[in-house]
Each structure stands twice: as structure tokens, then as C-alpha cells.
Amino acid sequence: MKNLLSITDLDRDDLETMLSLSEDFLHVTERDIPKVPALQGKVVVSLFYEDSTRTRISFETAAKRLSCDVMSFSVGSSSVNKGEGLRDTVQTIAAMGVDAVVVRHSAAGAPNRVASWIDASIINAGDGSHEHPTQALLDLLTLRRKRGSDLSGLRVAIVGDIVHSRVARSLVLGLDAVGAHTTLVAPPTLLPDSLEGWPVDVTHDLDSLLPELDVLYLLRIQRERQSASRLPSLREYTARWGLTVERASRLKPDTLVMHPGPMNRGVEIAAEVAEGPASLIKEQVTNGVAVRMAVLYTLLGSGGTVA
Ligand code: ASP
Ligand code: CP
């Protein structure tokens, strides 16, 4: 395996292997000195054309914990501002000798283009509304740590701005691969025109689902991707689809609440629920580092040992 561009690059066995390896790396991250020499000498570049807090820092932390050398590219202070295009930028970076490039871009398919231009391993860190495979992996790892390695039959609802969400696309496919059952919940204007081929049920009615769910996964309204106003108002959205304290009280006592971040507190999720005992939001972030260590190790594995 050279690149990770889509969650579908991993079949069910690959997924299980990646999640088990992530658990091993989670133990490494819990040590006093959470660092192993496994990828010493490898060079990893984070190439982010779109804003990020957790994915970027998580990848850079993961690479450092594997003893890689890490280079960080920021569009704002690069020659992109002098008109340099994506292809010239990545070929310039590749000419310095890099082993992996972690790409986030607002255009769907940008990481695939990058992969066709250079020899380094390419990891998709979120491309437009298309995919965010390491987010799906860290979500599956988080569920697995709560519910055990058999996630089949788990009832999951993904709620919110599905049409713009790369998180939803990757997660739906990942959940399907492990045998979980997903329902998408959104106003009609925030669903894709066609859901043909998506292994999901769909409803506009969150309230009727609440008592049956094992996992409630909230998405942010992607205001930066809204071409036309798809919502009457955020207040109305919260009233029908937000996880308010009152709605949370109608969940089963063991329903897990997840969100990829960043959150709009008070819009898709109440602050009290985000901080509450059912929330896995901080664990998702912690698990992200271990997952990204596993991905880098799998793609760049030098034959060194994990421990
Ligand atoms: N951080 C996630 C992403 O980049 C989710 C979001 O921004 O709402 O896709
Ligand atoms: N979940 C996620 O991708 O967060 P960032 O946009 O902060 O990286």
C-alpha cells in the first residue's frame, strides 16, 4: 500500500489490521516518552491548502513520535501567493527528497492529482466534500475502544450537513465495512441529490430515532462550502436537528455522542452535551494521533519495530 486517498483503499481486513496497529500505537503514546525510532530518517511534509487545527497537528505529532523529520507547508507564507500552481509546488517539495505528503485541499480529488505527479506516499487529510479517511479511521478506533472490536449491528446516526461533509462520506463507508448500520439525518437541502450506492437509510426526523441509537454523530454546518443558503436559519436548524440537552435526555443511557470538530457549540450540539459523560469528542482527538502513526508506519514502514 503506497497511498491513502480514500477509506476504500482499505478492505475489511486492512481496516482491522490498521485499527489493531493503532491500538498498539495508542499504548506507545501513553508512555512517559511517547516516541519510537521506527521511521527515523523519513521525511513527512504536511501540505495544507485549507485550515486545520486537529488533523495537521495530529499528523505532525504522529510523524514526530515515529522519529520522522517533519516539514510544514503553509499556503499563506508560500510562493502560492506569487502564483505558483499546485503541481509546481508539490514537484518543488518532492525535489527536496520527501517520503510522504499529507494533503488537505478544498478541491475534491486534489490528493489523487498529487499522487500522479510525485513518487512520495500521499495521504488525504480532507479534500473538498469528498473524503477524510483518517477521520473515519480514528472514529472507528474510538468506537472500537468503547464497544469492542466487533462493531457489527451498531446503530449509528450521522446528523447534519451531509452534502458538504467529507467526514460523512468516509465514515459511512468505514462503518459499512465493519458491519455497522448507518442512518443519515438531515434537512432535505443538506442531503446530496442522489444517495444511490450509499449503504445507508435516510430520514429527516431525528426525534423518532433518538431512543434506538448506539451512536449519535453530529456534523458541523460547513458555512465555508455553502454556495447558496440551504437553511432558513441556524436557530431553526438547532430546533429540529441540534443535539440539545433535552434531546440528549431522550437517548439511551449508553448512547455515545461524537463530533469530528471543530464544533459550533449551541448550533449542532449544546455545550453541556459536548462536555457531558456520553461525549467522546476529546477521545476522538487523542485517538487521531495513534491512527496517523499507524497510517504513516504502514505506508513508510522501514522494517523497524513498533516497540
Ligand atoms: N474538520 C472536519 C473536516 O475538515 C470537519 C469539519 O470541518 O466540519 O472535514
Ligand atoms: N476533524 C478535523 O479534520 O478537524 P480540523 O479541520 O481541525 O483538522
Side-chain angles (χ1 to χ4, degrees):
M1 185 177 168
K2 184 176 172 217
N3 303 315
L4 181 61
L5 302 173
S6 161
I7 193 73
T8 56
D9 292 340
L10 304 168
D11 64 20
R12 186 173 183 152
D13 286 347
D14 297 333
L15 264 180
E16 298 293 345
T17 306
M18 192 68 85
L19 294 173
S20 301
L21 185 59
S22 303
E23 291 199 336
D24 294 343
F25 279 121
L26 208 48
H27 298 309
V28 171
T29 65
E30 285 160 0
R31 293 182 192 162
D32 286 347
I33 301 175
K35 193 162 176 168
V36 287
L39 295 184
Q40 212 156 27
K42 299 284 181 185
V43 179
V44 176
V45 182
S46 59
L47 185 75
F48 277 57
Y49 279 75
E50 236 194 31
D51 295 340
S52 168
T53 296
R54 56 221 101 222
T55 309
R56 179 182 201 129
I57 294 177
S58 179
F59 264 113
E60 292 182 0
T61 304
K64 286 178 184 167
R65 288 186 174 174
L66 291 165
S67 304
C68 297
D69 295 323
V70 179
M71 299 201 291
S72 195
F73 168 89
S74 293
V75 177
S77 56
S78 75
S79 288
V80 170
N81 293 331
K82 301 177 194 166
E84 191 162 58
L86 179 61
R87 184 175 186 150
D88 283 338
T89 299
V90 296
Q91 287 181 336
T92 299
I93 290 171
M96 295 177 205
V98 305
D99 297 290
V101 185
V102 180
V103 183
R104 172 170 286 192
H105 202 286
S106 57
N112 303 61
R113 305 292 309 281
V114 173
S116 72
W117 294 327
I118 62 174
D119 281 339
S121 287
I122 307 301
I123 304 170
N124 182 358
D127 61 329
S129 302
H130 178 225
E131 279 223 40
H132 194 347
T134 57
Q135 179 71 45
L137 284 171
L138 74 87
D139 292 333
L140 292 176
L141 176 64
T142 305
L143 287 173
R144 184 178 158 123
R145 290 183 58 77
K146 285 286 157 189
R147 289 293 164 98
S149 56
D150 182 6
L151 297 176
S152 59
L154 203 72
R155 285 157 305 170
V156 183
I158 303 180
V159 184
D161 189 354
I162 311 285
V163 68
H164 297 109
S165 179
R166 53 199 179 202
V167 171
R169 258 170 204 75
S170 293
L171 184 57
V172 160
L173 296 168
L175 287 168
D176 184 55
V178 298
H181 179 263
T182 305
T183 305
L184 300 178
V185 190
T189 49
L190 292 183
L191 286 167
D193 290 339
S194 165
L195 283 165
E196 211 185 305
W198 287 56
V200 293
D201 287 334
V202 182
T203 178
H204 309 311
D205 179 10
L206 176 59
D207 288 308
S208 65
L209 272 188
L210 290 175
E212 332 169 340
L213 294 173
D214 298 311
V215 181
L216 183 50
Y217 195 105
L218 289 318
L219 296 171
R220 180 176 67 90
I221 302 289
Q222 311 253 312
R223 276 181 268 194
E224 74 277 23
R225 292 189 220 287
Q226 312 275 349
S227 47
S229 178
R230 289 171 179 263
L231 287 172
S233 73
L234 288 181
R235 184 190 292 250
E236 196 170 315
Y237 178 83
T238 305
R240 288 196 57 189
W241 292 282
L243 185 56
T244 57
V245 172
E246 189 282 320
R247 265 198 191 101
S249 73
R250 287 187 270 139
L251 293 167
K252 289 190 297 170
D254 62 349
T255 303
L256 303 169
V257 172
M258 301 175 75
H259 191 303
M263 288 182 274
N264 289 314
R265 287 172 186 244
V267 179
E268 70 270 4
I269 186 166
E272 297 88 329
V273 182
E275 302 296 335
S279 168
L280 298 180
I281 297 168
K282 288 198 185 75
E283 285 172 60
Q284 288 172 264
V285 175
T286 303
N287 293 336
V289 175
V291 154
R292 286 161 182 140
M293 288 174 82
V295 169
L296 287 168
Y297 186 76
T298 302
L299 299 186
L300 301 184
S302 59
T305 55
V306 173

